[in-house]
Amino acid sequence: QVQLVESGGGLAQPGGSLTLSCAASRGFFSINALGWYRQAPGKERELVALITSVTNYADSVKGRFTISRDNAKNTVYLQMNSLKPEDTAVYYCNLRGKITPRSSPMDYWGKGTLVTVSS
């Protein structure tokens, strides 16, 4: 059983910063993608940042958010700067990968961490 555990959410003021972390409970044979998604109240879940062979960001966070990974720690990070009230959402990490060479790629999700941006 693979678990992804997010941390680092909380309350931030507009213009402030937060760093989210997502740690996997085990290593993987291969990882196809690592990503952060978010879901604001009353809205659908949307992609925020994704690492595959390249790194992609939603237009709304380009230049403000940075996704990174630490393979040794099985952890992916999301550095969020210049936060805006519209960044308020539950943030979820996602990992798509193979546990063994013969297993099929699967998607794993964390339970989410709440980020609130308010003065």
Side-chain angles (χ1 to χ4, degrees):
Q1 182 96 16
V2 176
Q3 291 185 323
L4 301 182
V5 180
E6 300 106 336
S7 61
L11 176 64
Q13 292 189 339
S17 299
L18 285 174
T19 301
L20 305 183
S21 300
C22 173
S25 58
R26 60 164 294 162
F28 284 73
F29 170 73
S30 65
I31 295 176
N32 302 99
L34 287 165
W36 286 95
Y37 294 73
R38 67 186 181 187
Q39 187 166 18
K43 295 187 177 181
E44 294 186 353
R45 189 175 297 188
E46 64 174 358
L47 175 67
V48 176
L50 183 69
I51 298 177
T52 55
S53 57
V54 295
T55 301
N56 291 293
Y57 296 92
D59 288 342
S60 59
V61 306
K62 281 181 181 177
R64 300 188 298 121
F65 290 11
T66 302
I67 187 172
S68 61
R69 63 193 291 182
D70 185 331
N71 293 333
K73 296 182 179 179
N74 299 323
T75 299
V76 60
Y77 303 94
L78 186 68
Q79 174 68 43
M80 305 186 294
N81 299 324
S82 302
L83 284 164
K84 304 176 180 180
E86 51 263 42
D87 294 320
T88 296
V90 177
Y91 284 72
Y92 300 89
C93 67
N94 168 260
L95 185 157
R96 182 170 178 82
K98 299 172 62 173
I99 295 178
T100 69
R102 295 185 178 183
S103 62
S104 298
M106 292 185 64
D107 277 301
Y108 302 91
W109 290 90
K111 293 183 178 180
T113 184
L114 177 62
V115 171
T116 303
V117 183
S118 175
S119 56

